Amino acid sequence: MPALALESDTLLLSDPVKSRSTVHVGVAHPTPPAESVFGKIYVIVEIDSHDRINQDIVAALQEEFKTAYYRSPDMAMETSFEAALQQANTRLHSFMTQGVTEWFDRFNAIVAVVKNDIILLSHVGRMHAFLFRGTRIVDIIGKAGATEQSRNPLKIFSNILTGKVQSHDRLILCTSSLLDFFSLEKLKRLIAEDLPAGTVSKIEQTLLANPAPTAFAAILFVFLESTSTATTRVFPANAPTAPQRSMEELIAKERATENLLSPSLLPNVGGLFRSLLAKLELWWRSVVLKKPPRRSIPQSIQSTSRYARKSRVRGSLGWLRQISIGALLGLLSLPRIIVSIFRQRRKITSTVQAVPGKTSNIARRTIFWLRSLSGPQRILLLAAITALFFLSQAVINANSQQGQRLRGRDVESAITTIEDDVNKAAAAMTYEDVAGAKKLLTEAQDLLAKLPNRSRPEKNRRQELTAKIESVLVQTRLIVEPTFTTVANLEQSLGAAVPTSLAIAGKNLIVGTNAKNSIIVVNAADGKIAAADAAGRPIKFAVDLDSRTVLLIDSSDVAEFNSSTNSLKKHDIDFPNVDRTLQAGAVFQSRLYLLDTKNNAILRSNRAGAGFGPATLWLKDETDVRDGISLAVDGRIFVTTSGGQVIRLASGQKDDISFETIDPSLSSPTASWTSERSPFLYILEPAGKRLVIFSKKTQSLKVQFVHDELSAAVAFSVDDRSGTVYLLTNSKLIQFTPSLD
């Protein structure tokens, strides 16, 4: 469908003193590329109390979700949204583990993401979402938002709703308090008559005309047809809308003119101080307390008298003057105090004994004094303490940076060293000394971090050096693009079946499928295809047995397929567990090894005549292989897990070795292969479009073959005599022969 133009606006009315709850409305402002992929985040939070910790909880939720969502490695919105909710749940639960629990049962929130016509949202508590489409009103949250359900502290956000909107749809997310003043029909009329900005203005006028100790929050959306690139206009949550703003600006201009024409200087000084005080309070609320700015209420509705405001300002001025005088007197008396201390050294011992009692008295007097301060006085005190703190930190950081940053000739020497390290790393790569190259590049990066980065020439120089380091760093990843040739096209032979496995039997490639009567035999030399009957057995994976036969295995049983006669025979192996999940297997010296993930077991069955003997437990220690997805054998067993870890076992026990962590790291491999003849371990990862090869001797990376074709790879096998790699995709067989000398 064509892109939709989104118009949106936010409503937030909350008196920090009179309102019974803490309310917040947040709108993320991602970079254009991030917004084009993930959309924009909208958050409404209401906590039914006025505890100071509420602001920390709101800030933690918003920052944790925004960071996790926009930094998600997964490009799918739904997956990223779910992962971000999990991160937010974990962050909120951390408050519970610290003993901060009062907010939990009073917490109400809704988190939404909007991208073009797609909407994702999750809610907890009393929150509402209504979609207005034509004459219909759709309650998106439904009964889940009306009744208080039992909450899980580990999973506060436990639901995700997804949907799509159409052109001319209207959407509102709001707190339940808004429905106490407006019916759904009235909201529908207001929203249908105007764009969100106009609707918010009308709702504000109605609510401000009837003051109540209630907080209100809402986000309104209108989705319109767009003939060009879709745009989003979001108005600040606490900024007056157009009619309101123009009238307030006119009144402000009149007052400014009167002040300028006034013969007295005092109104101008008072106005300047009030302006500075307002800006200081705004900075303190938004940056330190992380609260939304206070909304400007129209002059006609304000209940506070001008005299009361003047008295508070004068009180603040007098209090500030007293602090200044006290500080000055303290500095002047400091020398006298030091002299008196040296003169009365004998009294120090007796004085120390009385310190605990005096300290408690001082603490009580200090607490009483702090409680007696008015609101503006507390703000000024906190501002002064904060300013001193940041000033001291700035001095400390400046000194620290000066100690870490290089200067003058040291800079030129460092640049020369960096360039030498990069050149040496490039030379090391020509001799395949990857470890040495990485060490040199790490030293170059550490030295680069110490270079000055203030002026434009310094920044340009750092960028040039960074590019040089990165150009060699890419080489250490050992990425090669292979050239594939097609062995056979399987689309017609597969039909509706889905390929699942691949094994080699001499010159034939045996393809197993999920269908109950489909095995495909492909001649590796000429690509000729023949079909065989699987005798009602869907195949999960296949194992090379000898030059004529392969073992075809489902989740619980084993069958042998002879490619010469196209015949299938089931092996009745006696397993130690009736209920089992056979995930992977391999044959080594006529012994069949099977990975049973359900029972955390590796089984071994010896060849016995034309069949196989009973399966015995080969794994002897407590190694966890339940997450294994593949198994390869060369005398030792290599188990590859779904998370990319390679576990090597010998004689039934885990070896104390670890394979190199590569860049990018393995995260979702699907298959692996090795043999007694091969010195390498092959691992397939379709999600990364790559086939990774490790040296078994050094456990280090040999090469990464990266190609778009590998994203569709289902299984693979290697002819260990010729070194040819055969890969099975969703529709064809392809091959290439890597050079691993």
Side-chain angles (χ1 to χ4, degrees), residues 584-621:
V587 171
F588 176 74
Q589 295 181 351
S590 299
R591 297 186 184 96
L592 173 62
Y593 294 86
L594 295 170
L595 175 62
D596 181 2
T597 54
K598 187 162 191 176
N599 298 292
N600 191 39
I602 296 176
L603 309 173
R604 183 177 68 185
S605 175
N606 296 329
R607 186 74 162 170
F612 284 89
T616 58
L617 296 174
W618 180 85
L619 186 62
K620 298 177 182 177
D621 61 12

Side-chain angles (χ1 to χ4, degrees), residues 32 55 92 118 123 162 197 203 347 506 524 567 581 597 618-619 629-630 636 685 689 698:
Q55 300 300 331
L92 292 175
I118 301 174
H123 81 283
T162 65
I203 294 175
K347 296 182 180 181
S567 60
T581 301
T597 54
W618 180 85
L619 186 62
I629 52 90
S630 185
R636 297 159 298 184
E685 185 184 45
K689 303 178 183 179
T698 62

Side-chain angles (χ1 to χ4, degrees), residues 260-557:
L260 289 173
L261 296 178
S262 175
S264 174
L265 186 63
L266 185 59
N268 289 326
V269 175
L272 178 62
F273 180 78
R274 285 192 296 273
S275 175
L276 292 174
L277 186 62
K279 290 180 180 179
L280 179 62
E281 181 182 3
L282 178 63
W283 174 86
W284 179 259
R285 288 178 63 82
S286 61
V287 176
V288 179
L289 300 182
K290 298 186 183 300
K291 289 185 177 181
R294 288 195 175 97
R295 176 177 290 276
S296 300
I297 301 177
Q299 186 70 22
S300 59
I301 302 176
Q302 290 182 355
S303 60
T304 307
S305 65
R306 179 174 296 180
Y307 174 78
R309 288 198 304 272
K310 286 185 177 180
S311 64
R312 284 199 300 269
V313 172
R314 288 171 181 170
S316 300
L317 281 170
W319 180 75
L320 183 62
R321 184 172 61 252
Q322 292 174 4
I323 289 178
S324 302
I325 294 173
L328 181 61
L329 292 176
L331 289 174
L332 293 175
S333 62
L334 187 60
R336 179 174 56 82
I337 294 173
I338 294 174
V339 172
S340 64
I341 289 175
F342 278 98
R343 288 179 177 177
Q344 301 180 14
R345 286 175 294 178
R346 296 178 181 178
K347 296 182 180 181
I348 291 178
T349 303
S350 59
T351 304
V352 169
Q353 297 175 354
V355 165
K358 292 183 178 180
T359 302
S360 59
N361 292 332
I362 293 172
R364 285 196 295 271
R365 287 197 297 269
T366 302
I367 294 172
F368 178 78
W369 176 71
L370 289 173
R371 288 179 177 176
S372 66
L373 297 178
S374 64
Q377 290 172 340
R378 292 179 183 179
I379 291 173
L380 285 174
L381 176 61
L382 291 173
I385 295 173
T386 305
L388 288 174
F389 173 77
F390 283 114
L391 179 61
S392 62
Q393 289 297 315
V395 173
I396 294 171
N397 291 337
N399 291 333
S400 176
Q401 290 177 1
Q402 287 177 359
Q404 294 177 358
R405 298 291 184 188
L406 302 176
R407 295 177 176 275
R409 296 180 180 178
D410 292 338
V411 172
E412 296 301 323
S413 176
I415 292 174
T416 302
T417 303
I418 292 171
E419 292 177 338
D420 288 344
D421 285 346
V422 173
N423 292 333
K424 291 177 182 178
M429 287 303 300
T430 62
Y431 296 99
E432 298 185 356
D433 183 8
V434 179
K438 287 183 177 180
K439 182 179 179 181
L440 289 166
L441 293 175
T442 301
E443 293 174 356
Q445 288 174 327
D446 293 341
L447 202 53
L448 179 65
K450 297 181 180 181
L451 294 181
N453 190 32
R454 294 182 178 180
S455 66
R456 186 177 296 275
E458 291 172 344
K459 292 180 179 180
N460 293 339
R461 189 59 174 164
R462 283 174 67 101
Q463 290 176 357
E464 293 174 3
L465 294 172
T466 301
K468 289 182 179 180
I469 294 173
E470 184 62 28
S471 65
V472 182
L473 196 59
V474 168
Q475 299 177 34
T476 65
R477 296 170 188 151
L478 301 177
I479 294 175
V480 176
E481 183 174 353
T483 301
F484 295 118
T485 57
T486 300
V487 178
N489 194 317
L490 305 178
E491 286 183 339
Q492 186 174 356
S493 301
L494 285 169
V498 177
T500 58
S501 61
L502 176 66
I504 301 175
K507 296 180 179 180
N508 292 324
L509 304 175
I510 313 302
V511 177
T513 72
N514 68 339
K516 294 185 177 181
N517 57 354
S518 178
I519 298 175
I520 300 173
V521 181
V522 180
N523 188 298
D526 56 20
K528 290 184 179 180
I529 300 174
D533 190 355
R537 183 180 303 281
I539 299 164
K540 187 173 183 179
F541 62 94
V543 176
D544 306 346
L545 185 57
D546 55 40
S547 61
R548 292 179 300 172
T549 56
V550 298
L551 297 178
L552 304 177
I553 304 168
D554 60 17
S555 295
S556 58
D557 294 314

Side-chain angles (χ1 to χ4, degrees), residues 94-253:
S94 68
F95 287 94
M96 306 283 289
T97 60
Q98 296 170 11
V100 183
T101 59
E102 294 80 4
W103 60 276
F104 179 64
D105 292 326
R106 305 170 182 175
F107 182 76
N108 309 281
I110 186 167
V111 179
V113 172
V114 179
K115 177 191 173 186
N116 195 21
D117 63 334
I118 301 174
I119 295 178
L120 303 172
L121 64 87
S122 180
H123 81 283
V124 58
R126 301 185 313 277
M127 285 291 169
H128 299 278
F130 296 101
L131 176 68
F132 302 94
R133 177 174 291 171
T135 59
R136 294 173 56 203
I137 302 176
V138 181
D139 186 355
I140 296 176
I141 294 178
K143 295 182 179 180
T147 59
E148 187 69 18
Q149 301 176 348
S150 177
R151 299 185 181 183
N152 184 351
L154 293 171
K155 200 173 183 181
I156 296 176
F157 288 95
S158 58
N159 59 77
I160 299 177
L161 303 175
T162 65
K164 289 193 174 185
V165 294
Q166 302 174 3
S167 176
H168 301 294
D169 281 353
R170 264 77 171 166
L171 175 68
I172 182 172
L173 313 177
C174 64
T175 57
S176 59
S177 58
L178 193 66
L179 300 182
D180 295 336
F181 284 77
F182 295 91
S183 66
L184 287 178
E185 287 297 331
K186 186 171 183 180
L187 282 176
K188 175 185 172 184
R189 288 197 305 272
L190 289 173
I191 293 174
E193 291 171 355
D194 207 340
L195 292 176
T199 304
V200 168
S201 178
K202 294 174 184 177
I203 294 175
E204 284 178 343
Q205 292 174 9
T206 303
L207 294 175
L208 291 174
N210 300 277
T214 306
F216 304 91
I219 306 176
L220 284 73
F221 305 89
V222 174
F223 301 88
L224 303 173
E225 292 181 354
S226 175
T227 57
S228 60
T229 305
T231 59
T232 303
R233 293 193 299 169
V234 180
F235 297 90
N238 296 282
T241 46
Q244 216 175 339
R245 185 165 55 246
S246 60
M247 181 59 69
E248 291 181 357
E249 288 178 353
L250 180 61
I251 294 173
K253 288 180 180 179

Side-chain angles (χ1 to χ4, degrees), residues 624-637:
D624 190 350
V625 294
R626 289 172 295 183
D627 196 30
I629 52 90
S630 185
L631 178 146
V633 183
D634 69 350
R636 297 159 298 184
I637 291 181

